[in-house]
Amino acid sequence: MNQVSHQLLAPFTSLRVISVASLPSSTNPSSFFSFSLRFHFRSFSSFSLRAMASHIVGYPRMGPKRELKFALESFWDGKSSAEDLQNVATDLRSSIWKQMADAGTKFIPSNTFSYYDQVLDTTAMLGAVPPRYGWNGGEIGFDVYFSMARGNASLPAMEMTKWFDTNYHYIVPELGPDVKFSYASHKAVTEYKEAKALGVETVPVIVGPVSYLLLSKPAKDVEKSFSLLSLLDKILPVYKEVVSELKEAGARWIQFDEPKLVMDLNAYELQAFTRAYSELEAALAGVHVLVETYFADVPADAYKTLTSLKGVTGFGFDLVRGTKTLDLIKGGFPSGKFLFAGVIDGRNIWANNLASSLDTLHALEGIVGKDKVVVSTSCSLLHTAVDLVNEPKLDKEIKSWLAFAAQKVLEVNALAKALTGVRDEAFFSANALAHASRKSSPRVTNESVQQAAAALKGSDHRRATNVSTRLDAQQKKLNLPMLPTTTIGSFPQTMDLRRVRREYKAKKVSEDDYVKAIKEEISKVVKIQEELDIDVLVHGEPERNDMVEYFGEQLSGFAFTSNGWVQSYGSRCVKPPIIYGDVSRPKAMTVFWSSMAQSMTKRPMKGMLTGPVTILNWSFVRNDQPRHETCYQIALAIKDEVEDLEKAGITVIQIDEAALREGLPLRKSEHSFYLDWAVHSFRITNVGVQDTTQIHTHMCYSNFNDIINSIIDMDADVITIENSRSDEKLLSVFREGVKYGAGIGPGVYDIHSPRIPSTEEIADRIKKMLAVLESNILWVNPDCGLKTRKYSEVKPALSNVVAAAKLLRTELANAK
């Protein structure tokens, strides 16, 4: 077995039988729980599957040590071949399948692995390639696939946006009436056969036809009013071909993911599900079909539609975020059908309360039948970290409270085994000990923090003067030109820079040497920006690993992993901090570096902070108190930092809220409560600054149009916001009459693509902005931070950005 497989199968080593009762009283339950997980992975493999039914919706793709990430980036850089990339992918897939099989999982997913994104995989399956990529039929290869995902030297990428309310991004299909669908990627069948050759029976997973269309958008030259569901009859023949091939290959079950069913759908949209599965019924004969939903409750009308679908054998529900769905099930569930009960949280890293979940499952058995309940995850485990075995440095007590993807597989199977009447008392006892430890731990609660957050309820925390008055005061102080230029914060992070940070963390580099290295990098970044003639500078963030993790490391109430990576998009992974307790700021976090950077230039230097809502949404958040209470605690910590930056002479402070839209609940009835506390949290951070201190915020890669009024209510002085990759969708709200009086910088180029836009292209984008926005409030900037790009891309791109701004300044001056 190769190295990747050994790492994935690490939990199957080390065997001996032990019970909680035989432990010495001095034994730390956390260390036992960690050991218990290793033991039970092996013990399940010999258990009879006679009546045990367990299911995993999906599994992380990147590998326990980000093996796929490094293979992808090596391939993209031309350092390795397509065969090398495929070999890494094959090893990862086989290891994951074997891991679940050895754990005793009955319903093991296949086709949840992806080289970039599962929605893009479906686009490839359907042959729905936009014409600009020059695809002329046949099986879609890496060249076309990655061009759609990332763009190339001459073509922009397809739009990327958030997958429901997660930090995962999907590639948005571009469809129109003239799209010719054809079966162009046989990946689902190939992977099923690949698993079968290993002796593992899997459930192929495919994005369902209706959700696929509802997740799409009209192509650029298509009327925005075009009905995407009108294409349903055109894509179903391809789905039939896929089903036919899977049946021929021996598939017994097929899983269709239809997560759009948890949204607020109208009658026409719901009827599309009925039409689709009625049309597919004949093709589905002879195979069991699971329709899976996740991320929220299924509304009553959608539940009725879903459970009436023809040709469907089982229905999957998120019973963690969708607790009200239990009431619908109690009110009626179709006889003879399987209920895939998502009681294990696929979105967070806390150990399941096994005793409570087992009670829920027993209750469900009484409703749908003992042999019809399948224990499942609430959603794909794609959204959680891979394996606690790879966390030897994690605090042992906190570690005992956690379950990553590998451990969640164990939890699913422990519950499924218990449902058969064979309850593993040692496993359940270790779980109960961990929950008791977490509930009673003094490190979780800080009374002074609780009181400070509770005291916030009496005010909505608004700055004393309106934004136009503040902008006037700021302009007198900053003296910026028309169409001022800036960047979003980060600059490229080189291998040398990452090495210095890594060695400093490992105490291989002294603090003096580390400060010297970071100072040199900041000086380089400042010099580059001055040479490019950018108006408001950033220090480039060379001291930061991640925009959330960096702050979490300096706040109380946070824990951190070594390998708790989660895919965000493509090869991009993040390592979310774990918020386990009350949050406070022991000392200043950024003042030292921001002050140093400001001393290197006479131009304004932005202080760079991550906002409370983004820190919350991009962390694994404690589940023992409401999320908004945790957010208010973080807001107070950031408020302290903002005020310290101002005292240090930083006159422009950016508080990024990239994830504000991401946290928006999926149901409209829950929007206002979330937006009220999320916007309030942002205002708390900067309510105390002077009028002359300019507060910026930044948002990226989400659909913002439906929350534009909440964005205005944030009362920031300047907002920079993604715009270019989404075909300038943002500008439509201003065309429709929304008035925006604060400064605004819709992004002029997509930093997630290696493509370098020309001066003319950027100038054209700015002109489109000027058609709907006043020149005195418009800023010119990229879509997002530059840390993932190379200097060979960044320098010419920013040079063109500045040149375009100057060109437009001249044109505007001449017009006057």
Side-chain angles (χ1 to χ4, degrees):
M1 190 181 294
N2 59 39
Q3 185 180 8
V4 172
S5 299
H6 274 303
Q7 289 168 339
L8 270 169
L9 298 174
F12 309 141
T13 61
S14 160
L15 277 180
R16 63 191 172 94
V17 179
I18 192 167
S19 70
V20 173
S22 66
L23 288 172
S25 60
S26 59
T27 299
N28 183 337
S30 67
S31 61
F32 168 73
F33 190 59
S34 177
F35 171 84
S36 176
L37 295 181
R38 294 199 301 276
F39 167 71
H40 284 88
F41 242 127
R42 177 63 71 90
S43 68
F44 275 131
S45 62
S46 60
F47 176 68
S48 168
L49 297 183
R50 180 173 55 84
M52 176 176 158
S54 53
H55 168 246
I56 306 298
V57 177
Y59 201 82
R61 309 155 180 159
M62 281 291 136
K65 299 287 181 68
R66 296 181 292 165
E67 290 85 352
L68 182 60
K69 168 190 173 66
F70 299 120
L72 282 167
E73 292 173 357
S74 176
F75 173 69
W76 293 337
D77 289 344
K79 296 175 182 176
S80 60
S81 67
E83 184 180 4
D84 294 330
L85 174 57
Q86 289 165 335
N87 287 340
V88 171
T90 299
D91 287 338
L92 285 170
R93 286 194 298 268
S94 63
S95 299
I96 291 166
W97 291 326
K98 288 177 181 177
Q99 176 181 341
M100 284 190 263
D102 284 356
T105 309
K106 183 175 180 181
F107 297 99
I108 298 171
S110 61
N111 199 43
T112 58
F113 178 89
S114 178
Y115 287 101
Y116 205 95
D117 164 52
Q118 72 272 11
V119 180
L120 181 62
D121 292 349
T122 312
T123 296
M125 181 187 85
L126 294 168
V129 181
R132 65 179 177 273
Y133 298 107
W135 176 66
N136 295 313
E139 191 82 2
I140 290 173
F142 280 162
D143 54 345
V144 172
Y145 180 85
F146 287 129
S147 290
M148 290 193 288
R150 306 176 69 239
N152 56 42
S154 58
L155 292 168
M158 295 169 69
E159 181 182 354
M160 179 170 70
T161 196
K162 295 291 174 71
W163 178 246
F164 294 84
D165 60 346
T166 75
N167 187 30
Y168 177 78
H169 303 64
Y170 77 96
I171 302 297
V172 183
E174 303 171 13
L175 305 176
D178 299 327
V179 175
K180 300 288 191 291
F181 297 101
S182 63
Y183 189 11
S185 171
H186 293 66
K187 177 177 173 293
V189 179
T190 301
E191 288 189 15
Y192 172 78
K193 290 179 176 177
E194 185 182 316
K196 195 166 187 178
L198 295 169
V200 181
E201 180 63 32
T202 63
V203 179
V205 179
I206 303 169
V207 176
V210 183
S211 287
Y212 176 79
L213 291 175
L214 292 175
L215 288 163
S216 303
K217 70 173 186 178
K220 196 169 186 177
D221 55 349
V222 174
E223 288 291 327
K224 300 305 177 190
S225 60
F226 172 70
S227 171
L228 293 159
L229 289 178
S230 68
L231 298 172
L232 187 58
D233 291 337
K234 292 186 176 182
I235 68 170
L236 289 178
V238 179
Y239 275 86
K240 290 178 183 179
E241 285 189 74
V242 179
V243 169
S244 176
E245 261 197 31
L246 286 170
K247 285 165 61 177
E248 188 177 336
R252 303 170 193 171
W253 281 81
I254 299 174
Q255 175 178 320
F256 290 103
D257 282 4
E258 293 283 11
K260 270 289 182 174
L261 278 163
V262 304
M263 304 291 283
D264 296 307
L265 301 178
N266 60 39
Y268 174 68
E269 291 166 330
L270 287 174
Q271 199 268 334
F273 288 94
T274 303
R275 281 175 49 214
Y277 287 88
S278 294
E279 179 64 27
L280 288 172
E281 183 181 9
L284 294 172
V287 66
H288 293 292
V289 175
L290 164 63
V291 175
E292 183 68 50
T293 67
Y294 36 77
F295 297 152
D297 281 300
V298 175
D301 51 356
Y303 177 83
K304 183 178 180 181
T305 297
L306 170 61
T307 53
S308 301
L309 293 180
K310 294 183 178 180
V312 177
T313 316
F315 309 97
F317 300 102
D318 182 338
L319 300 183
V320 176
R321 293 198 171 208
T323 52
K324 295 176 185 175
T325 302
L326 283 169
D327 294 331
L328 295 174
I329 296 169
K330 290 173 185 175
F333 190 81
S335 176
K337 302 293 186 180
F338 287 87
L339 169 63
F340 286 71
V343 294
I344 301 294
D345 191 351
R347 293 280 296 271
N348 217 326
I349 42 67
W350 302 107
N352 182 264
N353 186 326
L354 295 178
S356 176
S357 291
L358 189 57
D359 287 343
T360 298
L361 292 165
H362 279 310
L364 290 171
E365 280 187 325
I367 299 166
V368 306
K370 282 206 168 202
D371 60 341
K372 297 301 180 185
V373 174
V374 180
V375 184
S376 182
T377 56
S378 66
C379 62
S380 173
L381 299 177
L382 172 70
H383 309 288
T384 192
V386 179
D387 196 342
L388 271 174
V389 167
N390 298 310
E391 302 299 336
K393 297 179 182 178
L394 190 60
D395 178 283
K396 287 184 179 180
E397 182 182 31
I398 293 173
K399 189 174 182 178
S400 76
W401 305 341
L402 308 179
F404 289 1
Q407 287 70 48
K408 290 176 187 293
V409 171
L410 294 178
E411 292 180 333
V412 167
N413 286 288
L415 287 167
K417 185 178 177 183
L419 273 185
T420 69
V422 187
R423 173 167 160 152
D424 190 319
E425 294 300 339
F427 194 82
F428 272 73
S429 295
N431 177 264
L433 278 173
H435 276 276
S437 162
R438 183 180 171 205
K439 191 172 183 179
S440 62
S441 176
R443 64 202 300 185
V444 171
T445 305
N446 182 322
E447 289 296 334
S448 63
V449 172
Q450 292 272 344
Q451 290 168 7
L456 295 172
K457 295 175 183 175
S459 170
D460 64 357
H461 298 89
R462 293 180 185 272
R463 292 171 76 178
T465 52
N466 63 41
V467 69
S468 60
T469 301
R470 300 196 307 262
L471 287 175
D472 286 344
Q474 292 155 15
Q475 179 58 18
K476 287 175 184 175
K477 187 168 187 175
L478 298 172
N479 193 29
L480 298 173
M482 185 182 296
L483 306 180
T485 54
T486 191
T487 64
I488 304 307
S490 61
F491 264 62
Q493 298 237 335
T494 63
M495 295 298 290
D496 285 344
L497 190 54
R498 291 192 177 99
R499 177 186 53 77
V500 167
R501 278 206 313 265
R502 191 166 55 246
E503 290 180 351
Y504 174 62
K505 213 166 190 178
K507 296 183 168 53
K508 295 178 181 178
V509 172
S510 71
E511 185 170 0
D512 286 345
D513 288 342
Y514 173 71
V515 170
K516 181 182 177 184
I518 298 299
K519 183 176 181 180
E520 287 175 358
E521 184 69 19
I522 292 173
S523 178
K524 180 179 83 172
V525 169
V526 170
K527 186 177 180 183
I528 288 171
Q529 292 173 92
E530 288 187 329
E531 289 173 351
L532 290 168
D533 203 18
I534 292 173
D535 300 304
V536 176
L537 311 190
V538 297
H539 76 288
E541 304 176 12
E543 79 284 9
R544 304 184 189 185
N545 43 13
D546 174 82
M547 64 182 287
V548 172
E549 187 176 17
Y550 176 77
F551 288 95
E553 285 176 338
Q554 301 180 78
L555 294 168
S556 64
F558 282 76
F560 302 89
T561 63
S562 300
N563 291 291
W565 297 101
V566 179
Q567 185 181 14
S568 178
Y569 62 87
S571 68
R572 170 77 169 144
C573 299
V574 294
K575 193 147 54 72
I578 298 165
I579 305 177
Y580 68 84
D582 290 333
V583 177
S584 62
R585 186 195 74 143
K587 61 180 181 179
M589 301 180 285
T590 65
V591 176
F592 176 78
W593 300 114
S594 293
S595 298
M596 176 190 289
Q598 183 63 81
S599 71
M600 296 175 181
T601 181
K602 292 182 179 178
R603 300 184 185 216
M605 174 65 64
K606 284 197 280 192
M608 300 299 306
L609 305 174
T610 303
V613 183
T614 298
I615 290 176
L616 182 88
N617 285 335
W618 287 356
S619 297
F620 290 124
V621 183
R622 59 190 294 189
N623 58 1
D624 60 343
Q625 71 177 14
R627 288 173 68 88
H628 69 271
E629 291 183 14
T630 303
C631 198
Y632 284 154
Q633 293 178 4
I634 303 169
L636 287 172
I638 300 299
K639 179 178 186 289
D640 290 343
E641 188 71 14
V642 168
E643 291 172 2
D644 279 352
L645 281 169
E646 185 182 57
K647 288 172 190 172
I650 306 299
T651 56
V652 181
I653 302 171
Q654 182 170 310
I655 309 166
D656 286 346
E657 285 294 17
L660 181 82
R661 174 61 174 78
E662 173 187 313
L664 190 70
L666 299 178
R667 306 288 289 283
K668 290 178 182 176
S669 61
E670 299 169 13
H671 285 189
S672 60
F673 177 69
Y674 167 78
L675 290 169
D676 283 350
W677 65 254
V679 170
H680 186 194
S681 295
F682 177 83
R683 290 201 306 263
I684 287 167
T685 65
N686 58 86
V687 67
V689 300
Q690 301 173 27
D691 285 358
T692 51
T693 297
Q694 190 168 83
I695 298 296
H696 289 223
T697 191
H698 172 70
M699 298 180 182
C700 58
Y701 299 100
S702 283
N703 295 315
F704 298 108
N705 294 24
D706 55 347
I707 63 163
I708 191 66
N709 289 322
S710 294
I711 292 173
I712 293 170
D713 197 37
M714 291 170 72
D715 199 27
D717 297 312
V718 179
I719 180 171
T720 52
I721 195 164
E722 183 275 326
N723 175 66
S724 62
R725 189 158 185 164
S726 57
D727 294 329
E728 296 156 345
K729 188 189 301 179
L730 172 70
L731 299 185
S732 64
V733 299
F734 303 115
R735 294 189 191 102
E736 292 161 8
V738 171
K739 299 297 181 186
Y740 194 78
I744 185 167
V748 295
Y749 88 91
D750 174 21
I751 62 87
H752 288 99
S753 170
R755 181 173 170 272
I756 299 167
S758 67
T759 299
E760 293 73 24
E761 180 182 334
I762 295 170
D764 183 58
R765 287 189 184 277
I766 299 171
K767 287 177 182 176
K768 290 178 181 176
M769 297 171 192
L770 287 168
V772 292
L773 294 165
E774 297 295 330
S775 59
N776 65 325
I777 65 168
L778 188 61
W779 286 63
V780 179
N781 47 263
D783 266 346
C784 204
L786 304 168
K787 69 183 291 185
T788 60
R789 299 266 57 90
K790 300 171 184 174
Y791 273 105
S792 59
E793 300 160 345
V794 165
K795 287 182 180 179
L798 290 181
S799 178
N800 292 346
V801 167
V802 174
K806 289 181 175 180
L807 178 67
L808 268 296
R809 286 173 197 159
T810 302
E811 289 185 11
L812 288 168
N814 290 339
K816 287 183 180 179

